[in-house]
Amino acid sequence: MKFGKRLKQQIEQSLPEWRDKFLSYKELKKLVKLISTAATLGRSMEDGVAEAEFIYLLNHEIEKFNAFFMENEEDFIIRHKELQQKMEEVIDKWGPKGSQPSEMEYKEEMAKIRKVIVNFHGEMVLLMNYSNINYTGLAKILKKYDKRTGGVLRLPFIQKVLEQPFFTTDLISKLIKECETTINSMLPPSESARIFHAERDHQAVPGEGIFRNTVAALLTMQEMRRGSSTYGHFSLPPLNLPDFEVIQSLQVIFPIQIP
């Protein structure tokens, strides 16, 4: 699949409010074509203007990625702490050693929290995918630029990209792993499925879309991180993210078909 189509697919599978935050690949591709055509026809002035616009847009895109990624990262840190606090409150109140022990209340409240964590986990995976797909798009368009214009922009620009906040995803990876550990330590999926079964009979469960998109994002990240020779030294590192045992266990709660 060509990258332009893959990017479009990823945008469609992302959260609606994220869809204008991805790489402006089509605009950058048009500028590369304009630069290449102007250079071939010997139109140095047009070539210089288009090249300046191309570099300006590249830098603008980096700023856009960083602002969006850091805003979401900060939000995820806050939400993660709030979820931990909520779990502690439920345990302290309705748990076996709580102030008002109640097995029924405990199971129901923990199942609700588990559902929220599943959605939260999905959002963070989508942010990881956001970072991956935009990095890949930048590498693609820079390779196209160098090939069509004879320039050498890709190497220095990618070195700059590797130091950007949107590419530094260690913290999000850590939060994702912690969410998986929490999910596995809470009520078993079968118990959560039983509690929410009635809700599924009457209305669509919020988060089904997030879950579906999470699986799609994981598949995309795996594909992009298989050591493609397209990027050589600048390939994305091997995937070290959610294993599919977690995803399969969540399907018990949200038994949907992934196309």
Side-chain angles (χ1 to χ4, degrees):
M1 183 187 296
K2 290 187 176 180
F3 181 78
K5 290 184 178 180
R6 173 178 287 170
L7 177 60
K8 182 179 178 181
Q9 183 183 69
Q10 291 300 300
I11 292 173
E12 290 172 352
Q13 291 173 341
S14 186
L15 299 176
E17 61 269 28
W18 291 17
R19 292 177 183 174
D20 63 342
K21 306 300 182 181
F22 284 83
L23 179 70
S24 301
Y25 185 76
K26 192 173 182 180
E27 292 179 41
L28 288 165
K29 189 176 177 181
K30 286 180 180 178
L31 286 171
V32 170
K33 184 177 181 181
L34 184 61
I35 295 166
S36 176
T37 301
T40 301
L41 297 176
R43 299 172 180 172
S44 58
M45 184 173 294
E46 290 182 23
D47 182 15
V49 171
E51 185 171 2
E53 188 176 349
F54 178 76
I55 294 173
Y56 173 82
L57 183 54
L58 280 175
N59 286 313
H60 178 269
E61 293 294 274
I62 294 295
E63 292 175 4
K64 178 177 73 177
F65 301 156
N66 284 338
F68 179 74
F69 187 89
M70 288 188 292
E71 180 182 356
N72 278 278
E73 185 178 59
E74 183 178 355
D75 179 59
F76 290 157
I77 293 170
I78 294 170
R79 288 167 63 188
H80 182 256
K81 289 181 180 178
E82 289 175 346
L83 282 168
Q84 287 180 317
Q85 290 173 355
K86 181 62 177 177
M87 283 183 61
E88 290 174 4
E89 289 172 5
V90 170
I91 293 170
D92 291 342
K93 186 173 183 179
W94 287 301
K97 298 181 180 180
S99 59
Q100 302 175 38
S102 170
E103 183 178 0
M104 184 181 71
E105 292 284 355
Y106 177 76
K107 285 183 176 181
E108 287 183 355
E109 291 301 316
M110 291 299 274
K112 289 177 184 177
I113 294 173
R114 191 179 198 277
K115 180 181 174 185
V116 172
I117 293 176
V118 168
N119 292 342
F120 179 52
H121 175 275
E123 287 182 51
M124 289 193 292
V125 170
L126 290 178
L127 187 64
M128 286 289 296
N129 189 52
Y130 172 85
S131 172
N132 282 206
I133 201 76
N134 286 310
Y135 170 83
T136 302
L138 287 170
K140 285 277 189 181
I141 200 65
L142 287 165
K143 182 180 180 182
K144 190 181 294 290
Y145 171 89
D146 282 7
K147 182 178 180 180
R148 292 194 178 183
T149 68
V152 288
L153 185 58
R154 177 174 175 263
L155 178 61
F157 201 88
I158 288 295
Q159 287 177 328
K160 173 183 175 181
V161 169
L162 296 178
E163 299 174 354
Q164 299 303 310
F166 89 90
F167 186 78
T168 308
T169 57
D170 292 347
L171 178 56
I172 294 297
S173 295
K174 180 175 179 289
L175 291 179
I176 288 173
K177 291 292 185 183
E178 288 181 7
C179 271
E180 291 165 9
T181 299
T182 301
I183 289 169
N184 289 330
S185 67
M186 296 174 72
L187 293 176
S190 58
E191 183 67 22
S192 293
R194 183 190 66 76
I195 291 171
F196 290 111
H197 184 72
E199 182 180 359
R200 289 187 56 86
D201 286 343
H202 296 288
Q203 62 184 32
V205 177
E208 279 193 354
I210 292 176
F211 174 70
R212 181 183 291 108
N213 296 345
T214 300
V215 175
L218 286 167
L219 292 172
T220 297
M221 284 190 282
Q222 279 198 330
E223 184 179 349
M224 288 193 299
R225 291 173 179 244
R226 285 175 181 166
S228 170
S229 59
T230 303
Y231 308 127
H233 178 67
F234 298 113
S235 297
L236 287 162
L239 186 65
N240 183 28
L241 269 175
D243 58 50
F244 282 92
E245 289 182 7
V246 174
I247 296 300
Q248 289 166 0
S249 73
L250 300 185
Q251 274 191 292
V252 177
I253 307 176
F254 304 115
I256 57 177
Q257 296 298 317
I258 306 301

